[in-house]
Amino acid sequence: MTSCVLAKIVIAALPYATDALAPVISEETINYHYGKHYQTYVDNLNAKIENTEWEGMCLEELVKNVPEGPLFNNAGQALNHQLYFLQFRPESQAKTEPSEKMRQKIDEAFGSVEKMKQTMSQSAGALFGSGWVWLESDDAGKLSISLYANGDNPVRHNRHPLVGVDVWEHAYYLDWQNRRTAHVDALWKIIDWSVVEERMPK
Ligand code: MN
């Protein structure tokens, strides 16, 4: 994940064109979500850490250590969105099946890949207000799914974030309106397991 030598927190370059995730995520949504919302979290974070003890610290360390409040909200959202946008690939390129090793871990935790996906969708549907659903791992590689309010992130809770579903309405409302769980089901078409598996604890 992020190295800890960055002097400035910058938004991650998209590894695909802005229209490449359609129809699951439209170009219009990418333009707002990546170009405006994510950029704003990063800009706010940089403004808040400038000339403080936090300046120069990498994003994960910030998310682990800063106090609750506006600084944490923006650091959490900067990390959430970096992981979110980098986990996708166009439908024609995404590796949409987990490796055998990963599938075994999913089976151990949830019974099957299908049940894991159902739990992600149900969790997203159940989250009241704005937040995130994460497939995550502990240090030993045991998987779980957790709900996080607002800008909270698994690294704050000593977990490794693997797959993030943004349940803020700005992530899906232009394309899916109130059909939140249908949106989450469709995300699996563009989630790339080779990226996800790189996030497992080594
Ligand atoms: Mn978002």
Side-chain angles (χ1 to χ4, degrees), residues 4-38:
C4 281
V5 296
L6 283 177
K8 262 210 159 194
I9 311 290
V10 293
I11 75 167
L14 284 182
Y16 42 79
T18 52
D19 63 352
L21 303 183
V24 181
I25 302 175
S26 69
E27 182 172 27
E28 189 181 16
T29 291
I30 293 281
N31 286 341
Y32 280 109
H33 194 192
Y34 174 83
K36 307 287 185 195
H37 291 272
Y38 176 26

Side-chain angles (χ1 to χ4, degrees), residues 84-160:
Y84 175 82
F85 285 110
L86 293 180
Q87 73 193 344
F88 299 125
R89 290 296 181 276
E91 204 171 328
S92 59
Q93 295 168 23
K95 181 178 177 288
T96 54
E97 296 295 331
S99 67
E100 181 58 25
K101 192 176 160 202
M102 190 69 181
R103 196 184 56 74
Q104 283 176 7
K105 287 187 177 298
I106 294 169
D107 287 352
E108 280 167 24
F110 306 102
S112 68
V113 172
E114 205 43 50
K115 284 196 178 132
M116 180 275 291
K117 291 180 178 178
Q118 284 172 9
T119 304
M120 290 285 278
S121 291
Q122 286 164 1
S123 300
L127 195 147
F128 188 82
S130 295
W132 291 76
V133 177
W134 280 95
L135 175 67
E136 60 190 10
S137 172
D138 69 10
D139 288 336
K142 186 174 184 298
L143 304 184
S144 53
I145 289 171
S146 292
L147 299 176
Y148 293 96
N150 301 318
D152 200 3
N153 179 285
V155 305
R156 184 84 163 183
H157 307 272
N158 298 314
R159 302 291 172 110
H160 302 260

Side-chain angles (χ1 to χ4, degrees), residues 34-77:
Y34 174 83
K36 307 287 185 195
H37 291 272
Y38 176 26
Q39 182 73 59
T40 300
Y41 295 127
V42 169
D43 290 346
N44 286 345
L45 177 59
N46 278 316
K48 287 183 189 307
I49 62 177
E50 195 175 2
N51 300 320
T52 73
E53 61 185 301
W54 309 109
E55 191 170 19
M57 198 178 271
C58 81
L59 190 48
E60 281 181 274
E61 291 301 313
L62 287 171
V63 171
K64 281 180 187 167
N65 292 298
V66 295
E68 295 282 334
L71 180 52
F72 173 65
N73 294 341
N74 284 285
Q77 284 294 69

Side-chain angles (χ1 to χ4, degrees), residues 33 77 81 132 166 168 170-171:
H33 194 192
Q77 284 294 69
H81 286 84
W132 291 76
D166 190 340
W168 289 57
H170 66 227

